[in-house]
Amino acid sequence: MAGRYLVIFHLGPVQDFIATARRCRDLWFGSWLLSELAKAAAREIVNQHGGDMSCLIFPAPNRQADLDSQEFCAPNRVVALVTGPPEDLGEKVREAVLRRLREVRDKAFQKVKGQIHRDTANRQVEEMLEFYWAACPMEGDFRTARAVAESLLAARKTTRDFAPAPWAAEVPKCSLCGRRESVIPEPVYDQKSEEELFREYGIRRGERLCGVGFLKRHGERAPGFFSTSHVAALPLLERLAEGDKSYVEEYIGVLKGLGLSPERLGKVPVEHPVFGCYDGHLLFEERLREFFEDDATLEEAKIALQDFLEKAFGGDNPLPYYALLIADGDRMGKVINAQGTPEEQRNLSQKLSEFALTAARIVRGHQGSLVYSGGDDVLAFVPLHRALDCARELAATFRQMLATFKVFEAGREISPTLSVGMVVAHHLAPMDEVLELARETEKHAKSVQGKDALAVTVSKRSGVDRTVAAPWGTLDRRLERFVALHRLEAIPDRAAYELRDLALKLDFLAEAARKEAVRILRRKEAERGVRPVATEVLSELEALLGEEGLSIAQLADELIVAREFAKAQDLAGMPIPGKDVT
């Protein structure tokens, strides 16, 4: 076969590999590896076409050097317009992807100092890879060829491969995926101490890992990536002044004296000007339990921590919550379908690549850790005191950068927008559960009419999850105002919960419920019972229930959600906007 073909490559697994994460670094590594494999595929396609970058349609970096850049994230689908037999190219691309996977695997396994079943681990890693491709001759227009190639790829992905596989060994399963067998010999757990297990394998005593688990655990270290505990601690660390450095050194010295190794102290890639390179997990009493097996030693560590918090922060403790943010472009399918030529599709791809690089800078600028930014997708950990601002800037930047791409919807011309789902989660919550909740929150944002929306879920360890969602310019504006009112102590905390109870009891009597809600607000006292709620604030909340049509339940939930951001901003010592309003 000769001529020109439109070829689409798919690399996976996506959810299985990315979502099965116990630590946030596991989550980052899954995304990073898929991007690396996709870049290996793209590089091979370009190499097979004499270095001609124009053969790539998606992604479409401006320079070949971008495919080697750590900052450039490639999606797990590669679309190219190629010449020559596609079956030959497909095999060459597959070999290039496997070579890159083996390079990453071998480098990771070199860091494992203890004995593992290496042959089994190698096989597990290679069998994990999904590699599918489909091609269509470019005999007609571009849209038709792409539709045919997409249909063929979908059919190939649903065609199961029945490769022969031996029965699984009778050994414990991996703690991360729960399916593959552990490659750590079981006698090791009786022979090694907790410290030796961590030093030689990077595991805790009850933890088992398969080859893929070891790949995640010991693979490439994330540049600028923090643990969830460190992200949760950042609002408090914002207050550390230069004079507090002696307190830090004193606290770290006690921990070292108690036998805590440098590995367990943690090492963050972006050094704090006062707290240094130490991980914020050292600021949480519940994390100290992981490092000291002896009760007496643990108690000494707790006392040292409380002494440090008292000297450095007047006894304040870090909030145990952080934000996981997922952003996704709206109407991107329609926008892609509207591109009628390979050149138009490349222009869109280049703009998406530009946004991905900009998104990475935005997340870092708000003290966050970027998991993934490729095309119109963003996944990031952000400290609570900066989370709303970060999400707003991402949405505004996306809207601005893609403003020239138009589609018709409901009789009007419209450009792509960015919807964001954000979950406020406990720093010790299982990562797979937090990620699933963040995806559900993103669906709430996507279900808002007209999209271009924000959705926030607060998931506390006690109580029910609360989700609020509305378009940009509406929800973020209200949350920002409620945060300021909370920080000014202009709204009593109990008011929101009483409004929530009222909504459950009188939901079927809307007008009666609204009047009772107003009564509840009017009899509440602000500033911890010192004075009545200001007339201006009461009028503002009543207007939301009346003129703006906000339901009592949603007002209550938004007040409760805003309280979490207010606590973080207070802890960080941020200025309060509109302080003279009330």
Side-chain angles (χ1 to χ4, degrees), residues 156-199:
R156 174 61 188 92
K157 288 168 66 176
T158 56
T159 303
R160 294 188 61 185
D161 295 325
F162 292 94
W167 289 99
E170 292 184 2
V171 297
K173 302 301 180 186
C174 175
S175 300
L176 284 183
C177 69
R179 295 193 308 277
R180 302 180 189 90
E181 62 264 29
S182 169
V183 295
I184 306 172
E186 277 301 295
V188 163
Y189 293 92
D190 295 326
Q191 299 165 359
K192 305 286 185 181
S193 67
E194 185 82 23
E195 190 66 34
E196 288 172 326
L197 287 172
F198 184 85
R199 186 172 61 250

Side-chain angles (χ1 to χ4, degrees), residues 246-286:
S246 61
Y247 304 147
V248 175
E249 293 169 351
E250 180 183 345
Y251 175 49
I252 297 301
V254 171
L255 295 180
K256 288 180 177 178
L258 294 174
L260 201 62
S261 66
E263 293 85 3
R264 305 307 286 270
L265 287 170
K267 183 176 174 62
V268 295
V270 178
E271 189 167 320
H272 187 278
V274 179
F275 201 64
C277 62
Y278 301 115
D279 196 294
H281 66 217
L282 299 176
L283 300 182
F284 292 94
E285 189 174 288
E286 58 266 37

Side-chain angles (χ1 to χ4, degrees), residues 5 59 127 187 251 358 388 395 414 552:
Y5 294 84
E127 288 178 351
Y251 175 49
T358 304
L388 289 174
I414 193 167
I552 296 172

Side-chain angles (χ1 to χ4, degrees), residues 146-158:
R146 192 172 65 80
V148 171
E150 291 282 6
S151 297
L152 290 172
L153 181 64
R156 174 61 188 92
K157 288 168 66 176
T158 56

Side-chain angles (χ1 to χ4, degrees), residues 424-443:
V424 177
H426 195 278
H427 71 118
L428 295 183
M431 184 52 57
D432 55 346
E433 294 179 11
V434 176
L435 181 61
E436 179 60 29
L437 186 55
R439 296 199 187 284
E440 288 298 319
T441 306
E442 180 196 24
K443 289 178 184 177

Side-chain angles (χ1 to χ4, degrees), residues 60-200:
N62 293 317
R63 305 168 302 133
Q64 190 166 355
D66 288 338
L67 295 175
D68 298 315
S69 170
Q70 183 83 321
E71 285 200 350
F72 183 80
C73 290
N76 69 313
R77 290 163 59 88
V78 180
V79 183
L81 192 59
V82 306
T83 57
E87 55 268 34
D88 292 348
L89 177 66
E91 187 56 35
K92 289 184 173 68
V93 171
R94 183 178 181 278
E95 291 172 359
V97 169
L98 270 174
R99 277 198 304 274
R100 181 62 180 136
L101 177 61
R102 288 165 180 158
E103 287 173 3
V104 175
R105 178 198 66 193
D106 293 344
K107 185 177 179 181
F109 285 2
Q110 286 175 2
K111 299 175 184 176
V112 182
K113 306 304 180 184
Q115 178 189 359
I116 63 172
H117 300 301
R118 183 63 181 267
D119 290 343
T120 301
N122 287 346
R123 174 177 56 80
Q124 288 172 338
V125 170
E126 294 193 15
E127 288 178 351
M128 167 201 70
L129 179 65
E130 292 177 0
F131 180 83
Y132 305 125
W133 64 270
C136 177
M138 276 291 295
E139 296 173 345
D141 65 281
F142 174 70
R143 285 195 186 96
T144 301
R146 192 172 65 80
V148 171
E150 291 282 6
S151 297
L152 290 172
L153 181 64
R156 174 61 188 92
K157 288 168 66 176
T158 56
T159 303
R160 294 188 61 185
D161 295 325
F162 292 94
W167 289 99
E170 292 184 2
V171 297
K173 302 301 180 186
C174 175
S175 300
L176 284 183
C177 69
R179 295 193 308 277
R180 302 180 189 90
E181 62 264 29
S182 169
V183 295
I184 306 172
E186 277 301 295
V188 163
Y189 293 92
D190 295 326
Q191 299 165 359
K192 305 286 185 181
S193 67
E194 185 82 23
E195 190 66 34
E196 288 172 326
L197 287 172
F198 184 85
R199 186 172 61 250
E200 297 181 20

